[in-house]
Amino acid sequence: MPAVPPQLLDDTFLSDPPKSLVLDAGFRFHHGEVIAPFTIVYETFGELNAAKSNAILVCHALSPGAHVAGKYSEADARPGWWDGLVGYGKGIDLTDHFVVCVNFPGSPWGTTAPRSIDPASGKAYGSRYPWVTVEDMVESQRLVLDHLGIEKLRAVAGASLGGMEALMWAALHPERIGAAICLAGAASVPVASVAWHLIGRKLVQSDPAFQGGDYYGSTDSLRGLQLARMVGHMTYLSDEALEAKFGRKRRGGTRQFEVDSYLEHQAQKFAAAYDANSYIRVQAAMDEMDLEERFGSLDAAFAKLSAKVLLISFDTDWLFPTAELVRIQHAMRRAGVDATHLEIGTPNGHDAFLVDYPLITPPIRDFLTAYSRSTQTSEPTTVTR
Amino acid sequence: MPAVPPQLLDDTFLSDPPKSLVLDAGFRFHHGEVIAPFTIVYETFGELNAAKSNAILVCHALSPGAHVAGKYSEADARPGWWDGLVGYGKGIDLTDHFVVCVNFPGSPWGTTAPRSIDPASGKAYGSRYPWVTVEDMVESQRLVLDHLGIEKLRAVAGASLGGMEALMWAALHPERIGAAICLAGAASVPVASVAWHLIGRKLVQSDPAFQGGDYYGSTDSLRGLQLARMVGHMTYLSDEALEAKFGRKRRGGTRQFEVDSYLEHQAQKFAAAYDANSYIRVQAAMDEMDLEERFGSLDAAFAKLSAKVLLISFDTDWLFPTAELVRIQHAMRRAGVDATHLEIGTPNGHDAFLVDYPLITPPIRDFLTAYSRSTQTSEPTTVTR
């Protein structure tokens, strides 16, 4: 039970404002660069227990930030990005778990980012902002957990790039996680998806208005970023979903395809809020991650892991296909890890992790319940005595 | 047997130079515009028999022109675009058949095109060139056949957009075709593929150097067209083919993915030769074609068709998937048409029609042989008497 009961709203709750961890000595990126000072923005949901043993780190993906669930105020139009899964009585139940989410370096949502002002120059970092890695994302999360005094996570969970971060945790800090949940993730992005990502980055970088990354103040929204988002958006959808939602329908009285107007609208909305330098950096970080390359083999990457693992794939996800999750599961099994893989049938493609809550909630809830129970019996607490 | 035996080269033959049909009164486009005078470029291969009954119209797709097979001279680096299928002793055997291919309006390979000079202004047609339709493509082919005195085709054959043209022939001029062969084609482009096409057109049109289509003389190669080609290229490939060919391999000594350098190279080569105005027009024509919309139903589109039909799809083709060919076959069967559908298993995606000659040759040869035999027995000739 939380110490202070949350204020519940219709289907969600009032969440705390974002918190900041300011690193005066700066953040050292995996490739060696340092930005100082450096601010890491994070959010927490629910209550950390006295033993600090009920924390779940939720890792965000390319587009969103640390605002996982809830609304800052009742007036908010929409709750956090994974509100369908995280909340009181939901799949990741805040009645039991304390959730932490860290806006990682490179992402534009609060943490020092390419569009942040460099106090030394008074200008945005822009092209001088380092090329981030998934290791940097994990490091920023580790710094926040250390700051909160959380030594061991009950679980690390994420989808898409968030799932890749969860796997990086499993490889880099196996002793600090009790369980890992990876939805539609990868130990390395398959080549077809790398190619779509590459094309997206070329679209941004080929826009003359991008100016090598130092476009701040000169443009509100880059067409190149809109176009990259359209390509990205397509990779998140399945042909089935497009067929069901749009087919070859035209906009009333015109020859414009409905799917055209939909992609334009979504892309323009995205590009007006997101930042092009962040987009190309975060996506490049995905493509660079390769646990097999880094550890010699995927088995070796998970050699020290004793966490229980739940892997979920979606049958119509062609960006991070089931075959990649199967590859991960097999490597984990060979490494002696208790890893379960579940393929969920859905027409919603890669986006299923943001849509199919009725499908992803039961396996995640059951996995966390079983895991929590197993630790309660093996690690006696005052409650059971 | 051809009247004049062809000069055979290693695995191909010396082909005749392109021919021109000049329409002094101009070409009237489906949407009403007229360009006069108008030149239609075409090529022929093999010999037309005295009865003019052995002609096969090969319809080309987006990228190539009328040069289907053979080399103009021994010094040519490469033969025509379907040389693997069309030739002496090949799948479409020039010993038996006379092949015609017409460079359709909109395409930049000889026929009056957006980059052609308008004699009235002394400048390229550019943005003033009409938006072409598949009907226009068929009409240009019909004009050439009339010019050659060919009343009835033994067969019409094509792949991809060429397959769409073959289906348009089946719907518009059913009495003029004895057989139709459609590989990886469609009666209407499925919405996911429409979306990829739309994105490609946006990439061209969003390039400031495109200048609304009047860029001639100001630039050698548009980055927007290169980027559109990369997207297009991806839709022609399968994930399996990319995995087998590149995987996550890097270029020696660098972090650049091999697939990156491959896509860049191919796109730059394409954009240096092709024309952006042609690209967006020909692709838009594909998306606009919809036999169901035009005829009320797909069954109605094929109601007057008595030709035998061979439909071939490729299991890894996600641009023009098997489901579309199945839909066409079912409609044809309901309309009483003798339509066979064959799905070929291949890792080569949409590109299979340009790659998998050992797989496509036997069914096409067998189909043409069986069809030719059936017409010889039902239509007695001096040879059999």
Side-chain angles (χ1 to χ4, degrees), chain A residues 52-91:
Chain A
K52 300 193 172 186
S53 66
N54 69 331
I56 295 181
L57 175 69
V58 167
C59 306
H60 71 78
L62 186 144
S63 321
H67 190 48
V68 175
K71 292 181 174 182
Y72 298 127
S73 89
E74 290 191 59
D76 289 2
R78 302 183 61 180
W81 60 270
W82 225 2
D83 192 272
L85 181 70
V86 176
Y88 293 89
K90 295 186 179 176

Side-chain angles (χ1 to χ4, degrees), chain A residues 32-44:
Chain A
E33 308 90 334
V34 175
I35 291 185
F38 194 92
T39 300
I40 299 175
V41 162
Y42 65 98
E43 295 194 21
T44 66

